[in-house]
């Protein structure tokens, strides 16, 4: 299930000049979930837009997902607009150039030799029902742990909570885990409180029924889509 919300009213607010005092990279280095595994069917090209770039996703002959730049290096045609997957390669709709899952051009009709060009791309991992890409220099230095709850019948189906907001993705993630501000900024009625020198929380419902989480687990795996989509 998908929930669509909008916070676009903040677009009318003036820019805070203090933002220049805390520079952030346009895209913080790390892993990003870009689509669900079920959305990437074999033999199909899926158009994406992340990190300010047009991208495509498709599966190679081995079934593995790949995420590449969307524009053909020949004449710039968008491979997600009329492109198709043939034998694990994506075929450009303009002149028929074909690119493998590794991004390399493997065929160019009417060319005397295959051009040594490639589609840029990202390191990809797929597990827990999600396709992740790594944004950053070189190879990733860490991996996203699998989410066992996604394959368990003891948990409810995930919900994609999709929203649009004028905010840097790093600020979004940092605010989500900052529980202490929820009461004062967002009006949460029962914030965490300190008891005996330790932070305590409002008692949770008893665990054991479908969709109810135990301490340290998640009722629905966190797959919020307000990442770096632009």
């Amino acid at each position: 299930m998908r929930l669509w919300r909008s916070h676009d009213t903040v677009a009318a607010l003036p820019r805070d000049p203090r933002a220049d005092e805390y520079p952030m990279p346009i895209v913080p280095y790390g892993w990003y979930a870009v689509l669900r595994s079920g959305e990437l069917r074999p033999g199909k090209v899926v158009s994406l837009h992340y990190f300010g770039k047009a991208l495509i996703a498709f599966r190679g002959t081995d079934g593995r997902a790949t995420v590449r730049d969307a524009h053909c290096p020949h004449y710039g045609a968008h491979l997600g607009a009329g492109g198709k997957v043939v034998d694990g390669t994506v075929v450009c709709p303009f002149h028929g150039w074909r690119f493998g899952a590794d991004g390399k051009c493997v065929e160019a009709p009417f060319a005397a030799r295959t051009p040594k060009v490639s589609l840029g791309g990202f390191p990809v991992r797929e597990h827990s029902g999600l396709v992740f890409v790594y944004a950053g220099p070189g190879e990733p230095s860490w991996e996203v742990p699998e989410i066992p709850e996604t394959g368990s019948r003891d948990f409810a189906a995930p919900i994609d909570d999709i929203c649009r907001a004028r905010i840097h993705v790093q600020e979004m993630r940092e605010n989500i885990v900052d529980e202490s501000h929820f009461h004062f900024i967002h009006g949460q009625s029962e914030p965490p409180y300190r008891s005996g020198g330790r932070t305590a929380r409002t008692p949770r419902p008893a665990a054991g029924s479908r969709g109810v989480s135990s301490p340290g687990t998640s009722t629905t795996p966190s797959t919020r889509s307000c990442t770096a989509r632009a």
Side-chain angles (χ1 to χ4, degrees):
M1 181 173 68
R2 290 193 172 186
L3 303 178
W4 291 88
R5 296 180 291 120
S6 176
H7 300 288
D8 289 341
T9 54
V10 299
L13 298 177
R15 185 176 184 277
D16 190 338
R18 293 175 298 176
D20 295 330
E21 300 176 11
Y22 305 95
M24 298 180 182
I26 295 176
V27 179
Y29 302 155
W31 290 97
Y32 295 83
V34 294
L35 77 164
R36 292 197 173 278
S37 297
E39 297 175 315
L40 188 57
R41 293 177 295 171
K44 299 296 181 181
V45 182
V46 176
S47 294
L48 303 169
H49 200 285
Y50 283 93
F51 322 122
K53 300 179 63 176
L55 305 171
I56 58 166
F58 65 98
R59 296 187 183 278
T61 53
D62 58 1
R64 293 186 178 182
T66 184
V67 177
R68 320 300 310 185
D69 291 343
H71 295 287
C72 178
H74 181 208
Y75 266 66
H78 196 300
L79 301 175
K84 57 184 179 181
V85 176
V86 176
D87 297 331
T89 67
V90 62
V91 182
C92 177
F94 199 3
H95 294 99
W97 287 28
R98 295 171 58 170
F99 300 88
D102 60 358
K104 293 181 180 180
C105 180
V106 296
E107 182 182 337
F110 310 114
R113 61 180 63 88
T114 302
K116 295 182 179 181
V117 295
S118 299
L119 298 171
F122 299 84
V124 173
R125 303 288 188 272
E126 184 175 8
H127 61 71
S128 308
L130 297 166
V131 177
F132 299 90
V133 301
Y134 179 79
E139 292 297 315
S141 59
W142 57 281
E143 299 291 333
V144 177
E146 294 194 17
I147 308 171
E149 291 86 354
T150 58
S152 172
R153 292 183 176 274
D154 294 330
F155 291 81
I159 296 174
D160 289 332
D161 190 356
I162 302 173
C163 65
R164 294 182 182 275
R166 193 184 71 169
I167 187 172
H168 193 284
V169 61
Q170 184 169 329
E171 293 178 314
M172 176 75 76
R173 300 309 302 172
E174 289 175 350
N175 274 271
I176 287 175
V177 299
D178 179 15
E179 295 185 13
S180 61
H181 85 280
F182 291 171
H183 173 69
F184 300 98
I185 301 298
H186 304 296
Q188 177 176 297
S189 60
E190 298 180 350
Y193 60 92
R194 298 188 66 82
S195 175
R198 300 175 61 185
T199 299
R201 286 181 170 79
T202 304
R204 296 171 178 263
S209 60
R210 179 177 174 83
V212 177
S213 62
S214 301
T217 63
S218 174
T219 303
T220 54
S222 178
T223 55
R224 294 183 180 272
S225 300
C226 32
T227 53
R229 189 185 298 270

